Structure formats: structure tokens, C-alpha cells
Amino acid sequence: MRLPTPSGRQTNLLLAMLITVAVTTGVVSWGVGTGAVRWVTVLHAVAGFSIVVLTPVKLRTSVRAGLRRGRATRWLSITFGLLVIAVVALGVLHSTGLWFGVGYWSALWTHTLLGFVLLPLFFWHVFSRPVRPRAADLDRRALLSAGATASVAAVAYGGQEVLTRVAGLAGGDRRGTGSHEIASFEPAGLPRVSWIDDSAPSTPVEDWQLRIAGELVDLDVLRDLARPVDAILDCTGGWWSEQRWQVVPVAELLDADHAASFTVRSATGYARRFPSSDAANVHLAVGYGDETLRRGHGAPVRVVAPGRRGPWWVKWVTEVDHDDRPWWFQLPFPAT
Ligand SMILES: Nc1nc2c(c(=O)[nH]1)N[C@H]1C(S)=C(S)[C@@H](COP(=O)(O)O)O[C@H]1N2
Ligand SMILES: [Mo]
């Protein structure tokens, strides 16, 4: 059986759509911390594999002719194409667990970083070599070949998932978010992540000042109120870890109801704003297992926010306060 192949124009339009889907689903998968995001990560993977499936057609239909024209900018296009392949390859390395990366440079983080690097190249490529969609592009051949591409990609991804499990590769323990398990219920093994530009402050615990709604709160008060909650910290860098955290819900410390949101600020300036309706489900933690927090993990006080991704779990908290602004009035990713 011969699979239907799209024309050169159709291939280019399909690839542009696939990259758009891949970028969108990739970003969405960050925003959600619960397993419900699984279908988004599956769509993300199928879009990635579809790009690979279309690569030979792309090479045959437009890359060869494009190179023959010998434009100076062909090097930019080649770089763009190689980056796309590298990003897909890193996605496969992450999801199978075949390669974790080197230290901070996890396979997933590198995948994400290169993904952002290729975005401007993508826009440049699409606008400098425009294929204006025509009604005639959406013919039987387009639909059949798009369907065939997606089916081959879905089978390839399914095969990868089965192989990963059969071969017992590290990628077999991924959550719906795509993250791998690390050191659950072993606080000592939990990674320490400062993900953009802050680092652990050196203020000793005895001198720590925690203000809630402007009032100084003794850390012993928190320690006395704290009780265990099992929650999964799921870093956008591609790992998750479940711990038994010793926590107090923000709702018990702050009367959040009469404000739109509340803000939690770190000694470093790193801050996140949460909707007030979530005050019962966002906690201040002082320990995990039967230990107090380590400084690298946010001691003496950090946020534990079940169902939210890592960036919400503010470490080294010095301030919790009401806010009249809506919670979404903030940078999507915090910088200090
Ligand atoms: N102040 C501060 N808090 C922070 C971060 C940070 O960079 N600065 N990183 C966040 C991210 S992205 C993650 S995944 C978790 C990591 O927590 P851990 O270092 O205890 O594993 O902390 C969150 N809290
Ligand atoms: Mo993270």
C-alpha cells in the first residue's frame, strides 16, 4: 500500500500547522500540574512525530529546489530545519528517558530552550517564503495525506511508549505532564532548582522575618500548626517528586476572601500571585518527612501548591499578603 503524499505546497502548510500545534501544546503542558494534561502531551508528541514523518517529503519537494537557488539565507533555513529535528530528538530522549541531560541541562529543558530559539526562525521562514493558502490546497489529497501522517505518527509514538515500558526505560514512570519521577518520599534526593536568576539567601533561620498581611509571624506558630499533606512537586524541567510536606493552608493564616488574590514573595524578590479562591489549597510548608526543610528546598518556609507546576512553589517565603489585582496580572514566569 502506498501512503498518500501531499504536494510541496501542502507539505509546507502542514508543517507550519504542526509547528504551531507543537508550540501551543508544549506551552499549555507547562501551565497544568495535574495528570489531566495527558491528552495535550499526547497531541504534542504526535505533532512532533508528524514533523518527522513529513521530513522526507519536505526534503524532496522544497528543500532540494530551495538549495539549488543558492540564496544567501539558505543557511538560516538549514539551521532552522536542523533545530526542528534536534528539538524533536530531545523530546524523544526525554520521554523515553534514554538521556537525562547533564545536570541542569536536562533533555527537556534543552528541548524547551531550543524550541524558543527556533520560534523567531520559524516566523522568519514562513514570512520570507510565504505559501498563501488557497481553497484548492484543501483537496482530497491534503486530507488523506494529513490523516496518513498523523496516523503513522500516532503509531510511532504508541510504539515508543510500549517499547519504553517493555524495555524498562526510565521514561516508563512519566506522569501525564510528561515528567519523570525522582526521589519520592526521600527529601534528601529532591533536586534543588533555582530556575532563572535567584539563589538561596544566606539569612539564618533565627533572623528570618515572615510577614503575613503585614504582621510578623513567629515560625514556631507555623511549626505548631503544621500537619502532613502528600503532594507532588512537578518541575517544568521534566521531573516530579511526591513528598509528605508539613504544611499550613494559607486560608488559615490570611483572610483572603475579601481580596481578589494573594501574593507570596520570596526573600529574593521572586513572587507569585494566587487566586483567593485557592487559599485553602495553597500551603506554607516548614518541613517534609520528619525533617525541617533544607535551605536549598526553601527553608525556613516555602509554598506547597498541589496541582500547580514548580514555578508556583515559591521558596524562602518572607511575605504573604492580600492583593486587589487579579491573580493573572503577573508575568507568566517569575523573574526576580
Ligand atoms: N525563590 C524561588 N522559588 C522557587 C524557584 C526559584 O527559582 N526561586 N523555582 C521554582 C521551581 S521552577 C521549582 S521546580 C521548585 C523547585 O523546588 P526544589 O528546589 O525544592 O526542588 O521551586 C520553585 N520555587
Ligand atoms: Mo521548575
Side-chain angles (χ1 to χ4, degrees):
M1 186 188 81
R2 274 208 63 214
L3 289 175
T5 47
S7 69
R9 290 176 53 85
Q10 290 169 333
T11 307
N12 288 332
L13 290 168
L14 268 174
L15 282 170
M17 279 167 53
L18 285 169
I19 290 189
T20 308
V21 168
V23 169
T24 313
T25 50
V27 170
V28 168
S29 78
W30 269 0
V32 189
T34 59
V37 73
R38 169 159 276 129
W39 68 268
V40 178
T41 47
V42 169
L43 190 60
H44 184 69
V46 172
F49 274 98
S50 298
I51 291 171
V52 175
V53 173
L54 284 179
T55 297
V57 190
K58 170 80 180 170
L59 287 173
R60 216 168 43 233
T61 51
S62 58
V63 174
R64 215 183 281 161
L67 289 183
R68 230 179 278 127
R69 288 173 66 182
R71 278 177 293 200
T73 55
R74 68 188 182 282
W75 295 109
L76 264 184
S77 294
I78 292 171
T79 307
F80 169 58
L82 290 176
L83 272 176
V84 172
I85 298 299
V87 167
V88 176
L90 283 163
V92 171
L93 289 175
H94 165 80
S95 50
T96 53
L98 279 173
W99 185 67
F100 276 116
V102 182
Y104 188 72
W105 293 96
S106 68
L108 188 68
W109 175 238
T110 316
H111 167 88
T112 307
L113 188 74
L114 292 186
F116 278 114
V117 169
L118 69 72
L119 261 190
L121 285 174
F122 171 58
F123 289 123
W124 164 78
H125 190 79
V126 166
F127 287 107
S128 66
R129 289 139 173 77
V131 182
R132 225 159 270 136
R134 294 194 285 256
D137 290 323
L138 196 66
D139 59 4
R140 205 177 112 84
R141 181 184 182 189
L143 294 178
L144 283 179
S145 52
T149 302
S151 308
V152 172
V155 168
Y157 178 57
Q160 177 198 293
E161 286 298 291
V162 170
L163 265 177
T164 299
R165 281 169 181 77
V166 170
L169 297 179
D173 60 8
R174 267 143 59 239
R175 296 182 76 210
T177 59
S179 295
H180 295 263
E181 193 273 335
I182 297 183
S184 284
F185 301 104
E186 289 167 22
L190 185 67
R192 291 146 212 241
V193 179
S194 264
W195 78 305
I196 299 188
D197 62 347
D198 69 354
S199 54
S202 55
T203 315
V205 172
E206 311 85 75
D207 299 338
W208 202 263
Q209 301 216 321
L210 169 66
R211 279 174 207 279
I212 300 182
E215 304 274 321
L216 269 181
V217 173
D218 196 326
L219 292 175
D220 280 329
V221 173
L222 279 191
R223 295 188 190 110
D224 289 344
L225 286 173
R227 59 238 184 221
V229 157
D230 291 354
I232 293 176
L233 169 55
D234 190 335
C235 176
T236 46
W239 56 267
W240 64 268
S241 185
E242 183 166 21
Q243 302 294 338
R244 180 150 303 162
W245 306 91
Q246 299 295 332
V247 306
V248 186
V250 168
E252 280 178 31
L253 303 163
L254 180 80
D255 181 15
D257 285 345
H258 60 266
S261 61
F262 62 93
T263 299
V264 182
R265 198 174 300 279
S266 167
T268 64
Y270 182 109
R272 289 279 79 190
R273 188 172 292 137
F274 299 82
S276 287
S277 55
D278 242 23
N281 196 37
V282 175
H283 312 279
L284 293 186
V286 289
Y288 37 19
D290 46 21
E291 308 172 64
T292 52
L293 292 177
R294 289 162 180 77
R295 185 44 68 92
H297 295 141
V301 192
R302 78 168 307 160
V303 167
V304 162
R308 290 178 182 268
R309 294 303 286 270
W312 294 94
W313 295 48
V314 182
K315 300 194 283 191
W316 315 299
V317 173
T318 51
E319 209 184 301
V320 182
D321 212 340
H322 314 275
D323 209 314
D324 289 330
R325 287 165 289 192
W327 69 269
W328 45 260
F329 189 78
Q330 61 185 330
L331 289 173
F333 297 99
T336 55

